[in-house]
Amino acid sequence: QVQVAESGGGLVQAGGSLRLSCGASGLISSIGNMAWYRQAPGKERELVAIMTSSNSAAYADSLEGRFTISRDDAKNTVYLQMSSLKSEDTAIYYCSADVKMTQISTFRTFWGQGTQVTVSP
C-alpha cells in the first residue's frame, strides 16, 4: 500500500512562518500531482496549492502570494512554505498525492491524516 504523512504544523503568531512537509512511501511506481488542502472549523475542505509532476504550480486566489509549494521527487515529498500567516489560515492542512502503485496501471489519490496549523492574533 501507500502511506502519506504530513508534518510541520503547530502554533505560530500572526505574521510568522511555517513550513509543512508531506512524504509518500510504500509501493510507489510514480507520483503525479501533489497538493495541499485545508479545512477550517465549520468550513469545507479547500484546495490551497497543487504542483504537477512537471513542477507546474497553482494556488488558491485568497492566498495573495503568501504560500509557496515545492516538491522533491527523489524523496517523494511536497512542501508548503507559509509566510505572513493570518488567523484565517488556522486549519487542519491535508496533503494528497496521486500515486501509481507498482504493478497497477492507474493513478489513485492518497491522503494524509492532516496537521494542525494554528495562527494566534
Side-chain angles (χ1 to χ4, degrees):
Q1 272 292 356
V2 172
Q3 297 79 40
V4 174
E6 305 95 338
S7 62
L11 175 64
V12 63
Q13 287 188 330
S17 299
L18 275 178
R19 187 193 195 208
L20 305 182
S21 300
C22 169
S25 61
L27 302 175
I28 297 172
S29 175
S30 64
I31 301 179
N33 295 340
M34 300 186 82
W36 288 96
Y37 290 77
R38 67 185 180 186
Q39 186 166 19
K43 295 188 177 181
E44 293 186 352
R45 189 174 298 188
E46 63 174 357
L47 177 66
V48 174
I50 186 169
M51 178 163 271
T52 69
S53 57
S54 57
N55 290 322
S56 176
Y59 300 89
D61 291 339
S62 61
L63 296 179
E64 302 173 330
R66 298 181 293 116
F67 292 7
T68 302
I69 189 172
S70 61
R71 64 190 280 172
D72 183 339
D73 289 332
K75 298 179 180 179
N76 290 337
T77 298
V78 65
Y79 304 96
L80 186 68
Q81 178 67 48
M82 305 185 293
S83 303
S84 303
L85 284 162
K86 305 176 181 180
S87 57
E88 53 261 44
D89 295 318
T90 295
I92 299 175
Y93 284 71
Y94 297 92
C95 171
S96 73
D98 295 339
V99 176
K100 184 187 292 185
M101 297 174 62
T102 56
Q103 299 184 333
I104 296 178
S105 61
T106 57
F107 284 88
R108 174 184 164 186
T109 301
F110 290 87
W111 291 86
Q113 293 296 308
T115 185
Q116 176 71 48
V117 172
T118 302
V119 184
S120 62

